[in-house]
Amino acid sequence: MKNIAGIIFYSLFFIGLIVTLILANKGLDTTFSFAFVMGFLLLLFLSCIYFIVKLLLNLKSLTLNQWGRRMLKFLVIASTFSLVYCVLNMVFQRPDPFGISRLGTPVGMAFAMVFWDLMFLKKGEK
């Protein structure tokens, strides 16, 4: 039953995403389109909050050894992505390739790669 609810939720999410993209692309400015887009953005925001809370709750169940391995993996991936990002910025001649404000994307990608599986763990799994 829970799997069916997940399938229905994700199906509605993707249908809503497609409708929102069509409404944004066509520039339809009606009260329905505004309400639909705002509702979809609220759903997206609440889904993000849910996944963050679930991730934090699953982080508590990690042992110290697992936590250390994940942090080491995060640091290696984040530093590699940051280095590649800076090199690509220098190759394509962007100003200030070592700015601290440009590290958000590599760090976010590394965080997602290392901790992604924790959002989908059930209780008792590690």
Side-chain angles (χ1 to χ4, degrees), residues 75-124:
L75 290 173
V76 168
I77 292 173
S79 61
T80 303
F81 282 169
S82 298
L83 181 67
V84 168
Y85 192 72
C86 289
V87 168
L88 287 176
N89 277 334
M90 286 191 306
V91 168
F92 293 116
Q93 299 173 352
R94 301 231 183 214
D96 191 25
F98 298 107
I100 193 72
S101 64
R102 296 177 188 243
L103 295 179
T105 303
V107 170
M109 286 176 31
F111 185 80
M113 289 176 70
V114 173
F115 294 105
W116 181 259
D117 62 328
L118 289 178
M119 288 190 293
F120 304 107
L121 286 179
K122 293 182 174 63
K123 284 189 175 185

Side-chain angles (χ1 to χ4, degrees), residues 60-78:
K60 288 187 339 184
S61 67
L62 291 178
T63 63
L64 192 58
N65 188 21
Q66 291 172 332
W67 179 255
R69 279 189 283 148
R70 284 185 187 261
M71 289 308 293
L72 179 64
K73 187 176 179 181
F74 169 74
L75 290 173
V76 168
I77 292 173

